[in-house]
Amino acid sequence: MMQFYIDDLIKNALLEDVNYIDTTADYLLDEQRSTGRFLAKADGVLCGLEVARRVFTLLDPEVTFVGRKQDGDRLQKGEVFATVTGKTAVLLKGERTALNLLQHMSGIATATAQAVELVKGTRAMITDTRKTLPGLRPLQKYAVVCGGGRNHRFNLSDGAMLKDNHIDAAGGIAPAVEKLRGKLGHMVKLEVETRNLEEVAQALKAGADVIMLDNMDCDTMRQAVELTGGRALLEASGGITAGTLRQVAETGVDIISIGALTHSVTAFDISMKIQPE
């Protein structure tokens, strides 16, 4: 990720929390110095360490941040994985912003790792979607990769996807694919969303690179796998939970996209404990 993007995001987050003064820390503390210890309060996967570091160094370049782990590493409950040392007031100003980003990114990485583990031994890869929080998409998609998943499109420029509304507006799958094929560059993949086996057959005949199986049951997805015979990648999407994930993977689909990895993930529990020097 580009540093200027991360810096802009962090600056905006810090401005939400402190614009010109921290009426607690700035009035209470002078030149005291402390060390903050980042503690994992559950088992999971770490993500966002360098982002947290940058929160503090933007506030004060003299802050010292030491990571004992790297993004993508496993954390155990009770483990101290990083420390930050500097003026106590600076540490307290940056604490919430650093934790918000660390907890959110680590939550995504942890949820992704759990999903990847559930499909282990099948051909299915776990991917994210564009159902991300505005402004946080690159961080969220980075967290998915840290958890062992893959990224779907970053934005609408990355690939062409004919969803139901596109198809209905264009008069069907065949004419929509034909029109797009005449304009897409050779580097751009084309995916078609389908709702039943008849549409799968249409997308296959039209030459789709990827066919999305939208909200289909497992029996229908198995039939789609047989029908396709490897001539296009198959993506399962819609309503997939931890309880159904393994069953979906065992149908033989190539991709399982899960919007919940980013749009409704539970934050990973992390605390930062301050110890005065």
Side-chain angles (χ1 to χ4, degrees), residues 9-235:
L9 186 153
I10 292 171
K11 288 174 184 177
N12 286 332
L14 287 169
L15 280 171
E16 287 180 338
D17 232 17
V18 53
N19 42 27
Y20 64 95
I21 193 170
D22 176 344
T23 54
T24 307
D26 285 334
Y27 289 148
L28 181 67
L29 303 167
D30 297 315
E31 296 299 312
Q32 291 111 313
R33 292 176 58 84
S34 297
T35 294
R37 300 162 69 247
F38 287 90
L39 176 72
K41 301 181 75 175
D43 295 341
V45 178
L46 174 63
C47 185
L49 196 63
E50 291 304 313
V51 175
R53 180 199 305 272
R54 191 61 176 154
V55 169
F56 294 105
T57 57
L58 278 172
L59 286 168
D60 183 355
E62 295 184 3
V63 163
T64 301
F65 190 102
V66 179
R68 301 179 182 177
K69 293 277 189 175
Q70 295 181 336
D71 285 353
D73 286 349
R74 296 276 176 170
L75 293 176
Q76 294 184 334
K77 182 177 180 180
E79 185 174 6
V80 174
F81 61 87
T83 59
V84 58
T85 302
K87 292 180 181 178
T88 307
V90 171
L91 302 192
L92 293 173
K93 287 176 187 177
E95 176 184 6
R96 177 44 49 200
T97 297
L99 285 175
N100 282 347
L101 293 168
L102 262 178
Q103 289 177 312
H104 184 62
M105 294 173 72
S106 296
I108 292 171
T110 299
T112 303
Q114 291 167 350
V116 170
E117 183 63 27
L118 283 172
V119 304
K120 194 173 182 179
T122 72
R123 66 186 300 164
M125 69 176 75
I126 299 298
T127 77
D128 49 33
T129 71
R130 286 191 301 119
K131 295 176 182 176
T132 56
L133 298 178
L136 291 180
R137 182 173 292 173
L139 295 186
Q140 291 185 305
K141 284 183 171 284
Y142 167 71
V144 167
V145 174
C146 284
R150 308 276 186 92
N151 293 145
H152 210 293
R153 294 187 296 176
F154 267 79
N155 56 51
L156 296 174
S157 300
D158 284 344
M161 180 185 290
L162 288 167
K163 298 180 74 66
D164 53 358
N165 287 328
H166 296 106
I167 292 166
D168 293 342
I173 290 174
V177 172
E178 182 180 2
K179 187 170 184 178
L180 273 178
R181 282 293 188 204
K183 297 183 178 181
L184 293 177
H186 68 287
M187 296 292 288
V188 182
K189 296 275 189 180
L190 172 57
E191 180 168 4
V192 177
E193 179 183 280
T194 62
R195 295 161 283 194
N196 50 57
L197 290 175
E198 181 181 347
E199 291 185 348
V200 171
Q202 292 175 24
L204 193 60
K205 184 178 180 181
D209 300 304
V210 186
I211 300 174
M212 178 186 287
L213 311 178
D214 185 43
N215 283 292
M216 294 185 188
D217 59 43
C218 287
D219 286 340
T220 304
M221 283 191 272
R222 286 191 195 93
Q223 294 178 62
V225 171
E226 292 178 10
L227 176 64
T228 304
R231 289 175 287 171
L233 293 174
L234 293 181
E235 175 187 338

